[in-house]
Amino acid sequence: ITSCSAVIFGTAVADPVALLAKADGGALTTAVAMGGLLVATLSTNIAANIVAPANAFVNLAPSKLSFRAGGIATAVLGTAILPWRLMADASGYIFVWLIGYSALLGPIAGIMIADYFLVRKRTLDVDALYKSGEGTAYWYEGGFNTRAMWAFAAGVAP
């Protein structure tokens, strides 16, 4: 769209709504284009922002949760965190959300890297990754790697 707008209007317009405002084609053209924009936005955001967390919820309790329940839990949680308030102020987004998010993901990445390079010496048993139960290569005390939990707690502690 952007490259075509440079040819048609003489300047590249990256924002689809601004591009639609420049293309004065009447009410019907505007309505059809906005409908297409709405469908494209919703389909992209549903695939990108709902499917993964819904599957994560299902993986927490596969015998009790369906994909639909995971999607509903995602929608409720997504509404409960009030994302519109987070986006209202750039400093809140940067200094609260991004720093908080990176404070959690940084230790997780560090634990995964240390496990792969230092503990496992760059060797993974792919078949064992898909096996569960005591005695398997990736089974820990009660199903939880307590050393990783302690490392995570130390990593997020201020």
Side-chain angles (χ1 to χ4, degrees), residues 104-124 129 140 145 148 151-152:
L104 292 175
L105 285 184
I108 291 172
I111 290 166
M112 291 171 67
I113 291 168
D115 182 64
Y116 180 71
F117 284 102
L118 301 176
V119 176
R120 308 231 179 259
K121 308 228 185 311
R122 299 182 350 178
T123 302
L124 289 178
L129 287 171
Y140 299 98
N145 187 340
F152 178 75

Side-chain angles (χ1 to χ4, degrees), residues 30 37 54 123 130 156:
T30 302
L37 189 61
T123 302
Y130 297 98
V156 296

Side-chain angles (χ1 to χ4, degrees), residues 16 19 24 30 37-38 67 72 82 100 102 105 114 116 125 137 155:
L19 181 61
D24 186 27
T30 302
L37 189 61
L38 178 71
F67 180 77
I72 291 170
L82 307 174
S102 63
L105 285 184
Y116 180 71
D125 183 359

Side-chain angles (χ1 to χ4, degrees), residues 41-123:
T41 302
L42 286 175
S43 62
T44 301
N45 285 325
I46 286 171
N49 299 325
I50 292 181
V51 172
N55 280 328
F57 280 122
V58 171
N59 287 332
L60 287 174
S63 62
K64 295 181 177 153
L65 289 175
S66 66
F67 180 77
R68 181 182 179 130
I72 291 170
T74 300
V76 168
L77 247 156
T79 304
I81 65 169
L82 307 174
W84 52 91
R85 291 191 63 197
L86 186 65
M87 297 301 292
D89 182 26
S91 67
Y93 176 72
I94 293 169
F95 297 112
V96 176
W97 170 249
L98 286 182
I99 291 177
Y101 190 62
S102 63
L104 292 175
L105 285 184
I108 291 172
I111 290 166
M112 291 171 67
I113 291 168
D115 182 64
Y116 180 71
F117 284 102
L118 301 176
V119 176
R120 308 231 179 259
K121 308 228 185 311
R122 299 182 350 178
T123 302

